[in-house]
């Protein structure tokens, strides 16, 4: 009898498990796309996006080359269709439930299955699920996704909303990656696409949701003290000084990122001794691989929600849309031990109160009140409530920074974005008196690596401040500001315009090296008053003059990456530079070198500043670069021979003396 009971129980358990089993069928093949109603279809990649499909079919030029970005702006004004045909198995067809699941549609899309409209999507950051049991058949199912121009949509919504006005950009109305509409380091490439996986999920009984197990004990300590109010993280009960950077999408076309691309990018953070990345709110909630790698590498993640630099609509539909987005993304990501903070938005609070929008856009007082009320309802009331419903284990802050960089309180409480350096033309040393409790943004701009300049220019473009160089310099008055720092720290102002593009590139990277090294050391020397320094920014999404410390192509280090790597070390304490490079008494260092295996051994007859070692065709990073070489003291650097693909080692050297004294 007991044996019979056991058999019955085992049978029932097996039946229940079989009943709850979910079959999955990816729908990632046989896709084609067209400009809507054009009647000519081309092969498409899913997951993917329209600009990449157009590139793969040779229908547009590379937007990253020369001024081609401007030549592809027509793409954002068009509507695009994607379709595929698929069959399903008898086992799938026999299931009680068959769901069509889109993990990501960018952004406004109507979905048709076998000619019937089944979904109207309007949020890039949501998962969309439709029960299609009654619509599917064994053979010849057709799935059609009709995308509508996000730019046209937001322009129409903004126009219909007049005379009410949301300042800065109509992008505020759409739940889409904000950087797609252009940024001061990124191109304007506002596309569409099935940007994440699409599949069928079939089952008889809906599987139970896995219970949430808190993966990490994290506390954000904000307590009054003699100086104001603290701002630091306790991880598993221990205070941790955060050393890191801000992370933007690593490609303007996010679907091109592979797991290996993510690994290479995140290893650049790990190898630079970083322990935190801030996923910035104008990009995307990153791919699972990103967070998996952060988990394994011990990199903490400050996770913004995807709002940046603009106010928000206050209607019920927008709030309901964001609610579904927040709950989906938090549930998707909450099991990652790397995530230590949810943050409502990037710089919106500061923008509304400090950027002069009310006067610039002549916003009426009653509209100003409404904008602020909608803002506080979303970021201070609604989002924290929605987050707590699915993850009550991590801290939440409504905005970053708490106060703008012109406000005194920004140095005594909350996190700080201090942009007196760069935007205010202030010297790096200003941080001696203006370091906040946790500096979550600050930076210094530089040109990309010269190899990148060669890649996106033609010879006729390679003179200072050419049209093409300006097309790859998105920062407002970027070259003028950059020249201020060159003349303050590197070279006499009269000589700047006489530099070659190659030497100009080198000098801008040297000043970025000097700036980040010394700003980081000032911050760290103020611990425990200051408990975090996150530089802007780790990475680029295309080849451009920016604040990034790595290059877009090959994720290669810029000069500043080496400075950051040293400044973030815990085993030694670096000394700050007390003499500006332009004030050094340099003479010709007469550098010599020899190559032995994977080593380059260098020696000089006098101090050589910022020695740049360039190996032709090398795709990796050196053990050190842009270093100081003391007189007659041997310096050994290593390289990875595999990155040369069998090519011989051809070394080119440059030091500060070569540029400023020659």
């Amino acid at each position: 009898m007991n044996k019979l009971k056991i058999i019955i129980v085992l049978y029932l358990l097996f039946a229940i498990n079989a009943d709850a089993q979910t079959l999955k069928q990816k729908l990632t093949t046989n896709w084609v796309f067209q400009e809507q109603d054009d009647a000519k279809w081309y092969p498409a990649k899913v997951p993917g996006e329209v600009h990449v499909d157009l590139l793969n079919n040779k229908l547009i030029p590379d937007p990253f080359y020369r001024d081609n970005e401007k030549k592809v702006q027509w793409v954002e004004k068009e509507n695009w269709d994607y379709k595929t045909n698929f069959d399903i198995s008898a086992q799938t067809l026999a299931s009680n439930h068959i769901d069509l699941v889109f993990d990501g549609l960018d952004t406004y899309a109507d979905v048709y299955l076998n000619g019937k409209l089944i979904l109207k999507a309007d949020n890039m950051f949501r998962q969309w699920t439709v029960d299609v049991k009654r619509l599917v058949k064994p053979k010849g199912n057709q799935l059609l996704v009709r995308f509508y121009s996000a730019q046209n949509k937001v322009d129409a919504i903004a126009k219909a909303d007049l005379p009410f006005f949301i300042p800065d950009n109509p992008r505020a109305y759409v739940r889409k990656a904000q950087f797609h509409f252009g940024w001061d380091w990124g191109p304007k490439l506002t596309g569409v696409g099935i940007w994440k996986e699409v599949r069928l999920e079939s089952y008889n009984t809906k599987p139970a949701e896995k219970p949430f197990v808190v993966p990490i004990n994290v506390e954000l300590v904000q307590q009054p003290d003699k100086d104001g109010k603290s701002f630091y993280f306790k991880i598993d009960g221990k205070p941790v000084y955060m050393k890191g950077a801000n992370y933007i999408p690593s490609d303007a076309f996010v679907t091109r990122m592979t797991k290996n691309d993510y690994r290479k990018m995140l290893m650049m953070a790990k190898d630079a001794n970083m322990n935190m990345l801030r996923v910035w709110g104008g990009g995307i909630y990153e791919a699972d691989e990103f967070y998996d790698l952060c988990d394994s590498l011990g990199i903490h993640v400050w996770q913004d929600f995807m709002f940046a630099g603009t106010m928000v609509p206050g209607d019920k539909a927008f709030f309901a849309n964001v609610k579904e987005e927040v709950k989906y993304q938090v549930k998707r990501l909450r099991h990652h031990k790397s995530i230590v903070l949810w943050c409502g938005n990037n710089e919106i609070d500061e923008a509304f109160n400090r950027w002069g929008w009310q006067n610039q856009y002549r916003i009426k007082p009653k509209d100003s009140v409404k904008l602020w009320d909608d803002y506080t309802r979303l970021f201070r009331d609604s989002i924290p409530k929605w987050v707590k419903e699915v993850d009550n284990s991590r801290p939440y802050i409504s905005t970053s920074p708490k106060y703008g960089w012109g406000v005194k309180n920004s140095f005594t409480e909350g996190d700080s974005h201090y942009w007196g350096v760069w935007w205010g033309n202030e010297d790096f040393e200003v941080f001696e008196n203006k370091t906040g409790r946790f500096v979550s943004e600050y930076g210094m701009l530089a040109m990309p690596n010269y190899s990148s300049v060669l890649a996106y220019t033609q010879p006729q473009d390679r003179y200072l401040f050419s049209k093409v160089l300006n097309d790859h310099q998105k920062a407002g008055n970027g070259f003028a500001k950059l020249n201020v720092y060159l003349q303050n720290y590197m070279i006499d102002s009269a000589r700047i315009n006489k530099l070659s593009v190659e030497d100009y590139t080198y000098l801008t990277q040297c000043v970025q090296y000097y700036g980040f090294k010394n700003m980081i050391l000032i911050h760290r020397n103020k611990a425990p008053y200051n408990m975090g320094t996150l530089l802007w920014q780790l990475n680029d999404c295309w080849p451009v003059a920016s604040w990034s410390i790595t290059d877009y192509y090959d994720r290669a280090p810029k000069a500043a990456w080496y400075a950051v790597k040293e400044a973030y070390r815990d085993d030694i304490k670096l000394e700050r530079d007390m003499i500006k490079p332009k004030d050094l008494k340099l003479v010709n260092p007469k550098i010599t070198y020899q190559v032995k295996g994977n080593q380059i051994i260098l020696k000089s007859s006098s101090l050589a500043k910022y020695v740049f070692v360039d190996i032709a065709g090398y795709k990796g990073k050196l053990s050190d670069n842009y270093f100081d070489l003391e007189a007659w003291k041997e310096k050994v650097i290593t390289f990875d021979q595999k990155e040369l693909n069998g090519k011989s080692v051809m070394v080119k050297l440059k030091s500060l003396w070569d540029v400023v004294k020659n």
Side-chain angles (χ1 to χ4, degrees), residues 368-387:
S368 185
V369 170
K370 182 185 185 309
L371 285 166
W372 186 246
D373 178 61
D374 293 340
Y375 170 86
T376 55
R377 282 196 301 117
L378 185 61
F379 295 108
R380 298 186 183 180
D381 301 331
S382 299
I383 290 181
K385 176 186 173 184
W386 300 333
V387 170

Side-chain angles (χ1 to χ4, degrees), residues 299-432:
I299 296 174
H300 303 300
V301 173
W302 167 319
Q303 179 66 54
D304 280 4
F305 290 101
M306 293 300 115
F307 299 88
T310 187
M311 304 303 284
V312 293
D315 58 277
K316 288 183 180 179
F318 185 86
F319 269 59
N321 202 351
V322 173
K323 179 180 181 180
E324 293 304 312
E325 169 190 328
V326 167
K327 294 182 78 168
Y328 167 67
Q329 290 294 346
V330 173
K331 287 175 76 172
R332 179 175 79 91
L333 299 175
R334 65 188 178 182
H335 68 279
H336 288 285
K337 66 181 181 180
S338 53
I339 296 178
V340 297
L341 180 71
W342 303 111
C343 176
N345 70 76
N346 171 76
E347 293 188 347
I348 301 180
D349 193 310
E350 176 186 3
F352 188 76
N353 289 295
R354 299 289 303 176
W355 291 2
W357 278 345
Q358 288 81 354
N359 292 330
Q360 181 183 349
Y361 297 108
R362 299 179 182 178
I363 300 174
K364 296 176 182 178
K366 68 174 184 177
D367 290 344
S368 185
V369 170
K370 182 185 185 309
L371 285 166
W372 186 246
D373 178 61
D374 293 340
Y375 170 86
T376 55
R377 282 196 301 117
L378 185 61
F379 295 108
R380 298 186 183 180
D381 301 331
S382 299
I383 290 181
K385 176 186 173 184
W386 300 333
V387 170
K388 283 184 178 181
E389 290 175 6
V390 286
D391 180 12
N392 198 24
S393 68
R394 292 177 176 88
Y396 169 87
I397 60 174
S398 63
T399 188
S400 176
K402 184 173 183 179
Y403 298 107
W405 59 269
V407 178
K408 186 178 180 181
N409 286 26
S410 67
F411 308 120
T412 59
E413 61 178 287
D415 70 310
S416 164
H417 293 191
Y418 192 74
W419 284 105
V421 173
W422 182 256
W423 290 114
N425 285 336
E426 295 176 348
D427 287 348
F428 306 125
E429 292 75 21
V430 71
F431 279 111
E432 291 172 356

Side-chain angles (χ1 to χ4, degrees), residues 43-154:
K45 184 178 179 183
V46 170
E49 49 203 309
V50 68
H51 285 92
V52 177
D53 289 327
L54 289 166
L55 266 172
N56 291 342
N57 285 277
K58 296 181 171 53
L59 298 172
I60 59 170
D62 180 1
F64 294 1
Y65 182 64
R66 301 193 79 223
D67 60 350
N68 285 348
E69 177 198 356
K70 296 174 181 177
K71 297 175 182 177
V72 300
Q73 291 304 298
W74 64 271
V75 175
E76 71 177 31
K77 296 291 187 179
E78 301 301 324
N79 302 322
W80 300 90
D81 289 343
Y82 280 74
K83 72 176 181 180
T84 189
N85 294 294
F86 64 93
D87 302 331
I88 58 175
S89 68
Q91 185 180 8
T92 296
L93 204 59
S95 301
N96 292 338
H97 300 277
I98 304 174
D99 290 345
L100 177 63
V101 181
F102 290 94
D103 284 341
L105 288 169
D106 178 14
T107 294
Y108 293 105
D110 292 347
V111 180
Y112 296 82
L113 180 60
N114 294 331
K116 183 174 178 60
L117 177 65
I118 60 171
L119 172 66
K120 295 180 77 69
D122 61 354
N123 188 325
M124 179 179 177
F125 304 123
R126 285 176 59 181
Q127 183 186 72
W128 302 94
T129 302
V130 184
D131 188 336
V132 296
K133 167 72 176 176
R134 292 178 296 175
L135 290 175
V136 290
K137 52 191 179 182
K139 302 286 185 181
N141 296 281
Q142 185 184 83
L143 183 59
L144 171 67
V145 184
R146 308 205 84 183
F147 287 102
Y148 301 95
S149 161
Q151 189 64 62
N152 292 348
K153 282 278 189 180
V154 298

Side-chain angles (χ1 to χ4, degrees), residues 153 207 283 382 463 541 583 599 615:
K153 282 278 189 180
S382 299
Y463 62 91
C541 68
D583 295 329
Q599 295 183 334
I615 304 176

